[in-house]
Amino acid sequence: MQLLSNNHNYYSNNIKSNNSINFKGYTIKPSPIVINHGYNPSMTDLDIAGYTVPANATPNYSGAYPNKDTKIYKAAPFEIIPEEIYKTHDYTLRDDLRLSQIKENYNNGYQNFAQNAYDEQQFLDSNRRKINDKIEHNKYYIDEYNKRLEYAKNDVTKGKLNKKIDSIKVELSNNQQQAEIYTKTLENANERFNLLKKVDDLVGKRSSLYYSKADISEKIMQINHSPKADSKIIQDGFAQGHVAKNKYKNYIKESNLKINKAIEKGVSPSELKKLYENELAYKQRLKQSYSDYRKEILLPVKEARKSIYKHEILLPQLEEKIKQITKQISQMDIDLDKLMAKIEKFYKSKYPNWL
């Protein structure tokens, strides 16, 4: 990676040779190509037909071919890979976040682009602090040797001390240049992080709106499919209720007619009293049965009426929400395009090797 476009050669020549830098890459293995011959809980029917490496893995030598012993070095996005890595590994895998990757994927949902810049920030800041520690260390020894120089009594001792001081000053100058490069490069990384974080945040909000829009659209579809069915449920409910009501009236009439016929026949008072009691109990049972059945058939009618209410009242509200969300998404698309234009300009200026 070109950490600082105007100082890339210096950065590579000096920082690469700095043994104190902790590279963040690590070794991974290839993925097995598995053939499944059928379901088996013991997994004994699984065969490995070969191995595969990630599509963007680069072979470190001609003829590299993935097998079970293949070693893949997964480099950090900002890492300057030591030469020995190419000798000890079969493939190298870089996760450099290039401008082309951002442009290709930023419209495909949340990608967490800012994590790449955050890793770069951490790396640069860590090594800048190490360089600053070395600077303070060298300044301290320059002061100490200068103090000794004041008390030196012969030219040989003075010469040795001056040599050490000059040597440390050279190292100090190199350290200061490295620190300056880290500082300037960290400024770029900070700016890159801020830009990519804005993309992540905006895409994340837009994704949430897309999910909300889909949920509301599903509700609208359900409501739009319900009116005819709801109307039929109401009609059927009232028709069943009308039939039940007529049956109930007819049963009451038949009960009253039965009592009248008994009176006309001149049955005894005791028999008439018993008949009255029996028919009264029958009418009470009949009334309770009719009431229960009426509640049963009216329950879906009530639900259907609620559904119609949703269609008449809730549907316009949901449709208005869809309009507002669509408007918000359109504005976010415009904002994203403007942001991508800034990122493209920034990459071309500060990260020309990552296009």
Side-chain angles (χ1 to χ4, degrees):
M1 165 187 165
Q2 181 168 333
L3 292 178
L4 193 62
S5 57
N6 295 330
N7 294 285
H8 178 55
N9 291 333
Y10 177 84
Y11 186 92
S12 298
N13 294 335
N14 289 280
I15 305 271
K16 188 174 180 181
S17 63
N18 185 347
N19 294 327
S20 67
I21 292 179
N22 293 320
F23 297 104
K24 291 193 174 183
Y26 55 92
T27 302
I28 61 174
K29 299 294 291 181
S31 301
I33 301 172
V34 177
I35 299 176
N36 190 348
H37 297 292
Y39 174 73
N40 189 325
S42 66
M43 304 296 282
T44 55
D45 278 353
L46 295 180
D47 285 341
I48 296 176
Y51 294 84
T52 182
V53 298
N56 54 335
T58 303
N60 292 340
Y61 54 87
S62 177
Y65 188 80
N67 57 69
K68 64 185 179 66
D69 298 318
T70 292
K71 294 170 70 177
I72 306 165
Y73 186 74
K74 192 174 188 303
F78 38 76
E79 183 177 347
I80 301 169
I81 302 175
E83 284 299 322
E84 58 267 22
I85 290 298
Y86 295 103
K87 297 175 183 177
T88 58
H89 289 72
D90 304 284
Y91 289 84
T92 300
L93 178 64
R94 296 207 67 110
D95 285 339
D96 300 345
L97 183 58
R98 298 179 180 276
L99 176 63
S100 57
Q101 294 172 257
I102 300 171
K103 292 171 74 172
E104 182 180 353
N105 295 306
Y106 80 97
N107 265 324
N108 298 331
Y110 183 78
Q111 302 290 325
N112 196 18
F113 290 133
Q115 182 63 47
N116 184 273
Y118 176 78
D119 290 341
E120 182 187 7
Q121 286 175 319
Q122 296 301 301
F123 172 80
L124 293 170
D125 184 60
S126 172
N127 285 285
R128 182 180 63 168
R129 283 187 276 108
K130 291 175 185 178
I131 291 294
N132 286 334
D133 288 343
K134 285 190 174 186
I135 289 171
E136 293 305 313
H137 178 83
N138 286 330
K139 284 181 178 179
Y140 169 79
Y141 276 104
I142 288 173
D143 288 341
E144 287 297 310
Y145 284 126
N146 277 325
K147 288 176 183 177
R148 293 185 188 182
L149 191 59
E150 291 178 7
Y151 296 99
K153 295 181 179 180
N154 57 69
D155 292 339
V156 175
T157 302
K158 289 180 181 179
K160 289 181 179 179
L161 289 172
N162 279 321
K163 267 190 175 182
K164 288 183 178 179
I165 292 171
D166 290 341
S167 176
I168 295 173
K169 282 183 177 180
V170 170
E171 185 178 348
L172 176 62
S173 177
N174 287 337
N175 292 156
Q176 288 170 333
Q177 289 181 57
Q178 289 177 0
E180 184 180 354
I181 291 172
Y182 273 125
T183 299
K184 289 181 179 179
T185 309
L186 186 56
E187 291 174 3
N188 293 342
N190 291 339
E191 187 175 353
R192 190 167 77 97
F193 174 82
N194 290 332
L195 287 170
L196 295 180
K197 182 70 164 60
K198 287 179 182 178
V199 171
D200 288 339
D201 291 345
L202 198 53
V203 171
K205 289 177 183 177
R206 190 180 63 172
S207 296
S208 296
L209 288 178
Y210 273 123
Y211 284 124
S212 297
K213 186 176 179 179
D215 288 342
I216 295 172
S217 297
E218 178 67 23
K219 289 178 182 178
I220 289 175
M221 186 176 68
Q222 291 173 356
I223 291 173
N224 281 331
H225 277 76
S226 63
K228 290 184 180 179
D230 291 332
S231 296
K232 190 174 186 309
I233 289 171
I234 293 171
Q235 290 173 3
D236 290 347
F238 280 125
Q240 291 174 24
H242 182 70
V243 170
K245 185 177 182 180
N246 287 337
K247 283 185 179 181
Y248 173 69
K249 286 181 178 179
N250 289 334
Y251 289 146
I252 295 296
K253 285 180 182 179
E254 289 174 1
S255 177
N256 291 335
L257 185 60
K258 188 176 181 180
I259 293 173
N260 290 335
K261 285 183 178 180
I263 293 172
E264 290 176 0
K265 284 182 180 181
V267 297
S268 66
S270 61
E271 289 178 330
L272 186 61
K273 181 182 178 183
K274 186 176 180 181
L275 180 62
Y276 267 120
E277 290 173 349
N278 289 338
E279 290 304 311
L280 180 60
Y282 167 72
K283 287 177 182 178
Q284 288 174 342
R285 291 194 303 273
L286 192 64
K287 183 178 180 181
Q288 184 62 47
S289 176
Y290 169 66
S291 177
D292 292 342
Y293 180 69
R294 190 169 180 274
K295 288 178 181 178
E296 181 182 339
I297 61 176
L298 285 180
L299 187 61
V301 170
K302 288 180 180 179
E303 293 301 318
R305 280 178 168 172
K306 287 181 183 179
S307 180
I308 290 175
Y309 168 81
K310 284 182 180 180
H311 184 266
E312 294 175 349
I313 305 298
L314 184 59
L315 184 60
Q317 296 175 1
L318 294 177
E319 289 174 339
E320 180 59 29
K321 281 186 179 180
I322 288 287
K323 288 181 182 179
Q324 293 301 320
I325 289 175
T326 302
K327 186 177 178 181
Q328 286 179 274
I329 290 174
S330 297
Q331 183 58 51
M332 286 181 177
D333 288 339
I334 294 171
D335 294 340
L336 269 173
D337 288 340
K338 291 179 180 178
L339 194 53
M340 283 306 304
K342 288 182 180 179
I343 290 172
E344 184 168 2
K345 183 179 179 181
F346 171 75
Y347 259 72
K348 287 180 178 178
S349 171
K350 306 295 183 180
Y351 292 77
N353 287 353
W354 275 19
L355 302 181

